Amino acid sequence: MSEEEVKKVEAGGEAAAATATPPPELASLGPAKDVTEEKAVIPPVLEEKVDDSKTLAIVEKVADPPTEKSPGGSINRDAVLARVETEKRLSLIRAWEDSEKVKAENKAIKTVSAIASWENSKKAAIEAELKKIEEALEKKKAEYVEKMKNKIALIHREAEEKRAIAEAKRGEEILKAEETAAKYRATGLAPKKLLGCF
């Protein structure tokens, strides 16, 4: 504040103090008559407690912030209005930008969520198909194992039959050789074919 305004405030503060309601300390003394009469009635101790600087402080708080007044006041006012308009526009732009960012963020979250849901459903379908294929393969494997076991059993049975035939043939050949040897012994003739290398 300039010095002139301080003087005006002090003068106005004294006039306001004269017309204003008395402080609670003075209100208990009775109705206010006149400032000069009150000063005469009030003991000097109370007068020391009353401080004019408090009145100044109250006036300073209530008063609007000082504005520079120059001969081109309308130009200054236009500049202030332009600045306010610019701040308002910038504020709206910031709000719009924040709104768009939130929309984009929400859209991205929704898209990512949809992708995750799609991925999970596809994975579940593939895993179900894989399980189905594994079950089919297990079933085929069991069938093939059964077939192979049957083939092995068949081969074993055929081998047993062939062994039995070979054993029977061997028995027959031994018996035949024994009979032929007995015949040669009885006749005293030597066999025409000799087995082995002499």
Side-chain angles (χ1 to χ4, degrees), residues 104-124:
E105 189 70 29
N106 289 342
K107 188 176 181 181
I109 289 171
K110 187 176 179 182
T111 304
V112 168
S113 175
I115 290 169
S117 172
W118 174 83
E119 180 186 18
N120 290 339
S121 66
K122 291 295 181 181
K123 280 183 180 178

Side-chain angles (χ1 to χ4, degrees), residues 2-44:
S2 66
E3 291 179 19
E4 294 175 3
E5 288 179 350
V6 172
K7 289 179 183 177
K8 287 180 185 178
V9 170
E10 286 178 1
E14 289 175 5
T19 58
T21 58
E25 302 161 346
L26 299 177
S28 63
L29 295 175
K33 297 176 184 175
D34 190 6
V35 176
T36 55
E37 290 177 12
E38 282 185 21
K39 286 185 180 179
V41 175
I42 297 173

